[in-house]
Amino acid sequence: MCDLKDRDDLQRYTRRDFAAWAASAGLITALPAVANAAAVSEREVTITTPDGVCDAYFVAPTSGTAPGVLVWPDIFGLRPAFRQMGRRLAESGYSVLVVNPFYRQKKAPTAPQGGKTPIAEVLPLMQALTPAMHLSDGKTFVAWLDAQPEVDKVRKIGTTGYCMGGPIAVRTAVAAPGRVGAIGSFHGAAMVTAAPESPHRLVAQTKAHYLIAVAENDDQRDPEAKNALRAALQSAKLPGEVEVYAAAHGWCPPDSQVYDAAQAERAWGRLLATFKQGLV
């Protein structure tokens, strides 16, 4: 799921707090400040891949080295909201790469109105990607992180994915199992399908800690998906948590029409805990 098909869901969650109204009006909600935030430096970068040149955003602490983190945005792509999220991670002690997953088709910004862009305008971008592309990109971007002087090569790399980025984060760990030590999926789309390349079928090929945060309305539509994910983790003997959050699909990015500040902070706290455990 990359949109809310039930309009009542959208109305329910947008009425719930002012932050969501601000996002739907085209504003980006300011995320809470990081306690004892590290000083960071940021730059726009380009990364050569087997299929072209990817435009991306890299931000890292200004002193020492830090574990690398690869961030896969949702269907609305690389934009100010995800730069803000990446910077916050860097201030928390990570060297963060946020990529434009649609670089094969166009440079960022790929969604002219950010999280308010109509799904129909960006859906073709997502549909043009394939699992094979996810694997190739994941391998390339992990290697790029490892080539940066700001990245601690001894500690594992983390990856996070939002909406369509959830499956890509899992496939990144498949492409680089020796390097990816933690995965965060937030309102991940199509995490459990009948396809052979379904993310839940790939878990056993990874060596990571998992945080899988499921949207309430996604769980209502497919209540067995969380059980399949838990079973996959248990079968692979991998540490992780799969939990349904009382929020709508898309609740984490601060420019989302259904941004839920309280539940986004809860997910953020769990992400930092997962990274602390897995990026060793």
Side-chain angles (χ1 to χ4, degrees), residues 10-31:
L10 180 58
Q11 292 173 348
R12 171 188 173 192
Y13 286 99
T14 53
R15 283 196 301 265
R16 194 156 64 183
D17 65 51
F18 175 81
W21 175 87
S24 69
L27 304 176
I28 299 176
T29 301
L31 296 173

Side-chain angles (χ1 to χ4, degrees), residues 231-263:
L233 290 172
Q234 183 176 12
S235 176
K237 295 181 172 58
L238 292 174
E241 61 184 74
V242 181
E243 188 170 356
V244 177
Y245 283 62
H249 181 96
W251 85 84
C252 286
D255 67 342
S256 169
Q257 295 187 65
V258 293
Y259 174 65
D260 186 309
Q263 293 300 320

Side-chain angles (χ1 to χ4, degrees), residues 129-190:
L129 300 181
T130 67
M133 291 176 183
H134 298 166
L135 291 166
S136 176
D137 284 347
K139 182 177 181 180
T140 297
F141 298 146
V142 167
W144 186 91
L145 277 168
D146 272 338
Q148 306 312 303
E150 298 94 337
V151 173
D152 186 339
K153 314 305 187 296
V154 175
R155 296 176 65 182
K156 298 287 188 178
I157 282 175
T159 184
T160 65
Y162 299 78
C163 182
M164 67 166 223
I168 307 178
V170 176
R171 293 187 179 113
T172 297
V174 171
R179 288 299 289 128
V180 176
I183 297 169
S185 169
F186 303 94
H187 39 88

Side-chain angles (χ1 to χ4, degrees), residues 11 56 74 127 137 141 160 177 184 202 207-208 216-217 226 242 251 260 275:
Q11 292 173 348
D74 57 21
Q127 292 174 331
D137 284 347
F141 298 146
T160 65
L202 302 178
K207 301 176 182 179
E216 185 177 59
N217 55 335
K226 62 181 179 296
V242 181
W251 85 84
D260 186 309
F275 281 176

